[in-house]
Structure formats: C-alpha cells, structure tokens
Amino acid sequence: MVVTKEVRLPTIAELDTQEINLSTTTLMSAAPYLGKSCENINNEFMLCRQELNDPRACIGIGKLVTACAMQVFRRIKADCLEEFNQYANCIDKSSGDFAYTHCRKTQRAFDDCMSTKCQLDRPDFGYFCRARVHRSSCPEPAAPPCPCHSPVSDPTPSLPDCKPRDSPRFGSRLYWFME
C-alpha cells in the first residue's frame, strides 16, 4: 500500500494497548462467553469498520473491545480458573483438530461454574447465527460524494431489431451430437 504525506498515520501511543496473548484453545474455550459479554461493543466496532472503511477511525472502539475481552478473562481467572484450565486442556489434548466432542464433561463443569459464580449463561446453540439489529450510539457517517448523480448520456446505442437468422450453410457445429 502506498502512503502519501497527506495520509495521517496513528502514532505508537495511539495504538498502544494491552494485548491478549492467549493460545487458540484458551480463546476457543472462552469464545461463547466472550461473544455474549462483548457483543454490543464488538458490533459497534464492526459497524465502524464497515461504515467508515478506515481502520484508523475505529482505534478507540477497538481498544474498548480488547478491554472487554480482558475483563471477561479476569472474571474467569478470579472465579472459575480450575474448571476453565481443565476444559482448555481437554480441548488441546483430546484431538488433533481442537474438537469439542470429547470434552463435554469438562465443558459442563465450566458452564456450571460460570453460571453460578459469574452469572453468565452459555448462549444456546445458534445464538450467534440469529439476525439482530444493532442500535448504535454513534452518529451515522456522511455519505461519500458519488459521481453517479451527474447526468450521463446513454453510452450504448440501442440494439438492432432481432431478425430470424438463416440456417448455417455447412450445418450445425454440433454434428457429432446428432445421430
């Protein structure tokens, strides 16, 4: 990507935030709770990225998404660390493709702990597939200027009238199909 001097890039201080350095199995184990707990701020971030089409404008909201995920992991660590570690270890060690099927007992123990101690219920199956309308608190961005509103003459002339064609002089091209 070419960057000219008119493009303002964010500074390191603007980009600096605490990262979530966790493994795949750890993120997979907490994914339903992360998705449900941080749903609103994550939807706000994705809406910002989609509408503005510029990731630099959404840095602040992205930091809030990271902070929300950190808060969920702090709650898990404070209240359900043993059950969470068993569940993540089971996902990591039980199969080569991180399948959940072998870990339903440890998942049940972790879900029960999250329900009783953190008051977070696991979302039901298909929760994240359902269509929802997100009500944003941010103002709607201005529409970009579109050059399509200027009057343009018809670039293609009208097509000539279709007349029936004569049969081909040497027969059909598909002669090998006819028997």
Side-chain angles (χ1 to χ4, degrees):
M1 180 177 148
V2 178
V3 178
T4 62
K5 65 180 179 179
E6 289 84 23
V7 175
R8 184 199 154 302
L9 294 176
T11 63
I12 298 296
E14 290 174 318
L15 295 174
D16 189 32
T17 187
Q18 185 179 5
E19 294 182 11
I20 303 176
N21 295 325
L22 297 174
S23 67
T24 301
T25 54
T26 306
L27 291 171
M28 285 177 62
S29 302
Y33 298 104
L34 280 173
K36 193 166 183 183
S37 298
C38 302
E39 182 176 14
N40 287 333
I41 191 67
N42 192 37
N43 287 345
E44 193 72 33
F45 174 72
M46 295 307 292
L47 185 67
C48 176
R49 290 285 310 265
Q50 184 70 30
E51 284 183 343
L52 300 178
N53 201 17
D54 184 11
R56 296 172 295 171
C58 305
I59 292 173
I61 300 174
K63 287 182 178 183
L64 294 176
V65 171
T66 304
C68 180
M70 289 296 289
Q71 186 63 30
V72 171
F73 279 113
R74 284 187 189 109
R75 288 180 69 186
I76 290 172
K77 185 177 180 181
D79 296 330
C80 299
L81 181 63
E82 183 64 32
E83 293 87 354
F84 179 72
N85 284 338
Q86 287 177 355
Y87 182 45
N89 190 33
C90 179
I91 290 174
D92 189 28
K93 306 282 191 223
S94 65
S95 68
D97 61 347
F98 303 122
Y100 293 105
T101 56
H102 307 290
C103 304
R104 295 300 179 195
K105 290 181 183 177
T106 55
Q107 177 185 345
R108 171 54 66 195
F110 176 55
D111 290 345
D112 289 342
C113 179
M114 289 297 287
S115 180
T116 57
K117 294 183 180 176
C118 296
Q119 284 74 38
L120 284 175
D121 291 327
R122 183 182 194 91
D124 58 333
F125 186 75
Y127 175 82
F128 296 107
C129 297
R130 293 188 200 118
R132 291 185 224 24
V133 176
H134 176 71
R135 305 274 185 233
S136 178
S137 59
C138 296
E140 187 174 336
C146 181
C148 60
H149 295 300
S150 62
V152 177
S153 62
D154 189 15
T156 57
S158 61
L159 297 174
D161 292 336
C162 290
K163 297 177 185 174
R165 293 185 176 185
D166 297 334
S167 60
R169 290 186 302 178
F170 301 109
S172 173
R173 287 187 242 173
L174 306 174
Y175 65 90
W176 54 85
F177 285 131
M178 295 180 202
E179 292 187 32

